[in-house]
């Protein structure tokens, strides 16, 4: 994989400043107004046919629902996610009730966009976010029992970062983004 030596060059400071911390300040809470703004940002994301196929389960340390989520964290994520001021479980509306009929072909794609909106809103508010999959999906689904057609996809830990971004963050180059999906043309 080719790497870009200057991954942050020229992009908007909100994007350039975003990173996924693996340490949060346990003393920094996320208040109701902040939670409302984060969800409002997700609400205004674009989606196929304006289907808005996303849903969330939000909990904060000290709330009874927080324990219901924390007990399903994997050991790797429990190390930092339990210190975050807010844990958000993300869900996609994939199917119509309990039928195999798709509610939206783009449910997961659109959820990702809503989460991107939410994480950038967080960044603008001085909060950091780490999305993660390191949890017991089956156990959490059993715990929260989403409605038929809804699937838990990921979690987001949000709060005050208690570390700086790593120095060795890297990304594939822009050239690779444009070339990786394609084979070189046949030479005659
Ligand atoms: C869908 C998704 C799942 C992820 N799962 C995990 C995870 O299980 N554990 C973890 O430590 N980080 C997880 N991450 C965070 C990524 O590792 C991180 O975004 C990536 O290394 C790039 O770092 P950056 O966000 O700081 O640029 C996940 C991110 C996304 C978007």
């Amino acid at each position: 994989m080719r790497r870009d030596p200057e991954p942050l060059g020229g992009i908007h400071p909100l994007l350039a400043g975003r990173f996924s911390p693996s340490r949060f300040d346990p003393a920094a809470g996320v208040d109701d107004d902040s939670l409302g703004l984060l969800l409002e940002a997700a609400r205004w994301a674009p989606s196929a046919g304006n289907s808005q196929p996303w849903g969330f389960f939000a909990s904060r340390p000290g709330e009874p629902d927080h324990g219901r989520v924390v007990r399903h964290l994997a050991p790797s994520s429990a190390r930092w996610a339990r210190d975050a001021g807010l844990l958000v479980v993300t869900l996609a509306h994939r199917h119509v009730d309990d039928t195999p009929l798709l509610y939206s072909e783009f449910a997961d794609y659109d959820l990702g966009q809503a989460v991107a909106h939410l994480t950038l809103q967080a960044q603008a508010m001085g909060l950091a976010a780490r999305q993660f999959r390191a949890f017991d999906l089956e156990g959490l689904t059993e715990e929260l029992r989403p409605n038929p057609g809804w699937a838990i996809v990921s979690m987001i830990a949000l709060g005050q970062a208690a570390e700086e971004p790593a120095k060795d963050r890297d990304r594939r180059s822009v050239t690779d983004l444009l070339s990786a999906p394609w084979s070189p043309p046949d030479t005659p």
Side-chain angles (χ1 to χ4, degrees):
M1 186 161 54
R2 273 182 296 180
R3 305 291 186 181
D4 185 344
E6 293 176 11
L8 303 183
I11 61 174
H12 193 280
L14 257 191
L15 298 166
R18 187 211 61 79
F19 75 107
S20 303
S22 49
R23 279 181 58 210
F24 290 91
D25 178 355
V30 174
D31 63 20
D32 289 349
D33 287 349
S34 299
L35 174 55
L37 280 172
L38 295 170
L39 295 173
E40 190 70 14
R43 186 174 163 245
W44 285 102
S47 59
N50 202 21
S51 53
Q52 304 166 62
W54 46 67
F56 304 101
F57 184 89
S59 65
R60 293 169 287 192
E63 296 175 347
D65 281 340
H66 194 251
R68 295 177 65 200
V69 172
V70 162
R71 74 171 68 108
H72 298 287
L73 296 175
S76 63
S77 59
R79 279 199 294 274
W80 38 266
R82 53 170 81 239
D83 285 341
L86 172 65
L87 281 178
V88 177
V89 178
T90 81
L91 297 96
H93 194 178
R94 287 184 182 150
H95 295 101
V96 176
D97 300 327
D98 51 8
T99 74
L101 204 65
L102 286 182
Y103 173 78
S104 167
E105 181 189 350
F106 295 100
D108 288 60
Y109 181 99
D110 289 345
L111 169 63
Q113 297 210 69
V115 171
H117 272 220
L118 187 154
T119 56
L120 287 175
Q121 178 67 36
Q123 182 72 15
M125 291 158 52
L127 297 172
R130 186 176 192 105
Q131 301 175 49
F132 63 101
R133 169 59 186 88
F135 59 88
D136 173 6
L137 176 60
E138 207 177 313
L140 187 61
T141 302
E142 189 66 24
E143 176 85 42
L144 300 183
R145 296 195 169 277
N147 282 329
W150 288 86
I152 293 173
V153 175
S154 66
M155 289 181 59
I156 319 167
L158 295 118
Q160 288 291 341
E163 64 178 10
E164 296 296 316
K167 295 267 182 285
D168 59 352
R169 293 172 75 216
D170 61 26
R171 288 299 194 268
R172 293 162 49 215
S173 69
V174 166
T175 308
D176 196 51
L177 303 187
L178 294 171
S179 63
W182 319 109
S183 300
D186 289 339
T187 43

